[in-house]
Amino acid sequence: MAVRPFRPRDRFRSRLTYRIAAAAVAAVTISALAACSSATSSGSAGAGTVATTAGASGTLNWEWELPTSWDPVTSSAGWDMHALGLVYASITTLDTSGTVVPGLATSWKYASDGKSVTFTLRPGLKFSDGTALDATAVKENIVRGQTQGNSTIASELSVIKSVIVNSPTSFTLDLTQVDYQVPDLLAGKDGMMVSPAAFKNAKSIPTQPVGAGPFKLTSYVPDSHANLVRNPGYWDASQIHIANFTVQDITQPEQILSALESGQVNVAYIAGDQVAAAKAAGFKIDVIPSEVVDELDIQTTTAPFSNPDVVKAINYAINRQAILQVQASGYGAISYQPFPVGFVGYSSKLANLYPYNPTKAKQLLAAAGYSKGLKITLTAPSIDDSIAEQIQGQLAQVGITATIGNVSVDTETQYLYLDKTIPFAVDGTAGRMSPVEMLDVLYSQQGLMNVDGKATTTPAPVTAALSSALTVPLTSPDYPTALQNAVATAVQDEPTHIWLYTNPRIFAYSPSVAGIPSDLVQQRWEGVTVGS
């Protein structure tokens, strides 16, 4: 059986919002479509009359995971940003290299002390329901993200002390501290704008979103598919050439290529071991670098992992190159840190931090008092034991007996991130718009993916390095050094993650599809065309 492409189940900080889209939920159809919409949907994947608006044509059927919620405030997975970006536009965006560029805002300027930043919006912006997208709407969105009881982005927005509306196209964010990462932060879910008219019934937003993005959701079947049509009011609509868009969630990897061959989908996310078959079937392949990294989470406050030599021994016992070859057919690169080569945060200091060395691993285990062997439990999601079994075999070679403990996907993040009751687990991260935010999520005491959590305090060097990186403007020549220093310090001083390999976004797609951009962080669709 093919290995399923890794889809990280990491969650943003604050309380978990459980998946609203339960399999048993019936199809949810948007009852009031915008009058300008020229497509109707029957509620089945890819169905409906093809819209032809302003030169746009064709339907793109994308095999991808549906979001935990269509509301960016209650979405509980970093992975959701790819689907949410179809419906919502953000204050800023990231280019293909991960550099922040204009979005809804054309520009921004920091005060000289770095404690406030003023944004200028594009004039005449509107949500798909016709509501004005002005500075007042931005303020209402930020306040909602900060104060709504089930918000999963409240902690990210806590750096914003107040929002001052200067004019319909200008607003100022007063900050609680110097933070030059705010433009990056607002390129993701934190900066995705929802129509304030929808706030009157906020409980409907997770299934009936109203945004200002490139497409509008017309129908949605949880755990199955979503149908969308082009939004002519999107600020960059001239670059959206697709009239209709569907997202289809196919859970079985062996069904993905079949869906491509049958025409059910024309763009699919595939695993490395499916590339050869997809090429042989005549599909085009794009291997897009991404911030997705496979890892192991390790609770260093729990024995035997509280002994630093045990953690180091596990690191040296793992043959990352072998794992990369088996799990991803060599697509990607072995990693000792949360960012890929070429990204501004990549630290060359960590390039070969724990080379495979089983002899050294045995020596470290002996020094830790386990010369006769060590027994541990390695927890993995119940849907796939492949990587857990491979790691189990590698650990056995140095005297570590790892029993695989399965946990259901539905409860995995509850135990791992919220309850923090799993000491050693297979995991992965999808990255964040702001690299310092990513480090905070992974390594700070309050960070969701720091499985030590409240059982410990953030090491002082890590806190200092993260704080220092926040105070350096993104355009400063000192920024790469400050960020890379924060990465190196966090990885070495807070060893709660064992990094394995980077996981690129591999797309197999029909020859009729052209122009898919290679976005490092969030997949976008500007410039993409679908022929007959």
Side-chain angles (χ1 to χ4, degrees):
M1 179 180 292
V3 176
R4 178 166 173 77
F6 175 69
R7 290 176 170 177
R9 308 300 305 173
D10 61 315
R11 301 300 193 253
F12 278 83
R13 291 193 297 270
S14 188
R15 65 176 61 86
L16 176 68
T17 301
Y18 285 101
R19 177 181 290 274
I20 295 172
V25 178
V28 177
T29 303
I30 309 306
S31 58
L33 300 181
C36 62
S37 173
S38 58
T40 59
S41 173
S42 67
S44 60
T49 302
V50 174
T52 54
T53 57
S57 62
T59 299
L60 193 144
N61 298 311
W62 186 29
E63 189 286 312
W64 196 255
E65 188 169 8
L66 289 164
T68 58
S69 167
W70 284 98
D71 184 355
V73 167
T74 60
S75 156
S76 58
W79 192 253
D80 288 350
M81 64 184 172
H82 300 286
L84 294 179
L86 297 170
V87 175
Y88 297 106
S90 297
I91 299 299
T92 57
T93 66
L94 300 183
D95 65 15
T96 54
S97 66
T99 301
V100 64
V101 295
L104 294 170
T106 58
S107 62
W108 49 92
K109 184 178 181 180
Y110 271 88
S112 57
D113 63 0
K115 294 190 70 174
S116 68
V117 55
T118 298
F119 290 81
T120 300
L121 293 170
R122 300 174 189 276
L125 293 171
K126 290 185 181 297
F127 291 98
S128 61
D129 64 357
T131 302
L133 201 173
D134 54 16
T136 298
V138 172
K139 179 176 181 177
E140 292 180 60
N141 269 268
I142 291 175
V143 170
R144 173 177 172 254
Q146 291 176 319
T147 60
Q148 184 165 301
N150 59 349
S151 172
T152 60
I153 62 173
S155 57
E156 281 83 24
L157 295 174
S158 63
V159 70
I160 300 174
K161 181 167 59 177
S162 64
V163 184
I164 301 169
V165 175
N166 306 313
S167 73
T169 58
S170 174
F171 64 93
T172 298
L173 303 181
D174 277 342
L175 309 177
T176 59
Q177 64 185 65
V178 177
D179 187 344
Y180 286 105
Q181 295 276 308
V182 170
D184 270 349
L185 188 70
L186 296 181
K189 295 200 299 183
D190 302 272
M192 288 182 177
M193 294 293 104
V194 180
S195 172
F199 295 173
K200 296 176 183 178
N201 185 16
K203 291 182 179 179
S204 70
I205 300 174
T207 55
Q208 301 180 47
V210 184
F215 299 94
K216 297 180 290 184
L217 185 70
T218 58
S219 65
Y220 168 48
V221 179
D223 293 330
S224 175
H225 66 271
N227 293 334
L228 306 96
V229 297
R230 179 178 180 272
N231 175 19
Y234 175 51
W235 71 265
D236 202 16
S238 64
Q239 296 302 309
I240 301 299
H241 309 307
I242 303 165
N244 297 273
F245 200 111
T246 75
V247 183
Q248 302 186 39
D249 195 342
I250 301 175
T251 58
Q252 298 301 318
E254 62 271 16
Q255 295 177 359
I256 295 175
L257 289 181
S258 296
L260 277 166
E261 292 172 344
S262 69
Q264 178 185 346
V265 298
N266 49 18
V267 179
Y269 176 45
I270 65 172
D273 63 354
Q274 294 176 306
V275 170
K279 285 183 177 179
F283 296 103
K284 296 192 286 186
I285 302 293
D286 277 357
V287 180
I288 302 172
S290 79
E291 282 194 314
V292 175
V293 188
D294 284 55
E295 66 182 276
L296 299 174
D297 290 334
I298 189 163
Q299 199 171 71
T300 60
T301 53
T302 300
F305 311 114
S306 53
N307 188 318
D309 283 341
V310 170
V311 177
K312 291 178 182 178
I314 294 172
N315 267 289
Y316 283 115
I318 293 175
N319 186 337
R320 290 166 173 81
Q321 189 61 52
I323 291 174
L324 174 65
Q325 192 60 46
V326 170
Q327 300 300 321
S329 295
Y331 288 94
I334 64 172
S335 184
Y336 301 98
Q337 59 189 296
F339 298 119
V341 175
F343 184 68
V344 64
Y346 177 81
S347 172
S348 59
K349 297 178 181 177
L350 305 174
N352 197 30
L353 184 61
Y354 292 110
Y356 178 52
N357 191 333
T359 299
K360 189 167 186 176
K362 292 178 181 178
Q363 293 171 347
L364 286 163
L365 283 175
Y370 298 102
S371 59
K372 294 183 179 180
L374 172 64
K375 294 182 178 181
I376 61 174
T377 298
L378 173 60
T379 302
S382 55
I383 58 172
D384 183 15
D385 278 342
S386 176
I387 189 170
E389 290 171 351
Q390 191 174 5
I391 291 171
Q392 179 187 51
Q394 292 182 356
L395 294 179
Q397 294 178 21
V398 301
I400 299 176
T401 301
T403 300
I404 297 175
N406 287 129
V407 62
S408 90
V409 174
D410 293 335
T411 58
E412 173 193 6
T413 52
Q414 175 71 41
Y415 296 138
L416 185 61
Y417 298 151
L418 300 182
D419 299 343
K420 302 185 187 297
T421 54
I422 300 177
F424 190 42
V426 174
D427 198 10
T429 177
R432 296 292 188 272
M433 298 300 185
S434 160
V436 177
E437 177 200 1
M438 182 72 262
L439 293 176
D440 187 57
V441 168
L442 291 165
Y443 292 106
S444 69
Q445 183 264 347
Q446 76 274 19
L448 184 70
M449 294 184 70
N450 181 347
V451 293
D452 282 351
K454 296 180 180 180
T456 186
T457 57
T458 309
V462 176
T463 299
L466 295 182
S467 298
S468 177
L470 289 174
T471 65
V472 183
L474 302 182
T475 55
S476 169
D478 297 327
Y479 176 61
T481 299
L483 180 58
Q484 291 162 23
N485 177 63
V487 172
T489 301
V491 169
Q492 294 177 102
D493 286 35
E494 183 75 315
T496 57
H497 305 282
I498 294 177
W499 301 102
L500 301 175
Y501 66 94
T502 62
N503 205 312
R505 201 178 309 133
I506 305 176
F507 283 159
Y509 56 101
S510 165
S512 65
V513 178
I516 297 177
S518 297
D519 294 289
L520 177 67
V521 184
Q522 177 184 329
Q523 187 61 50
R524 306 189 65 85
W525 300 97
E526 284 81 356
V528 179
T529 60
V530 180
S532 57

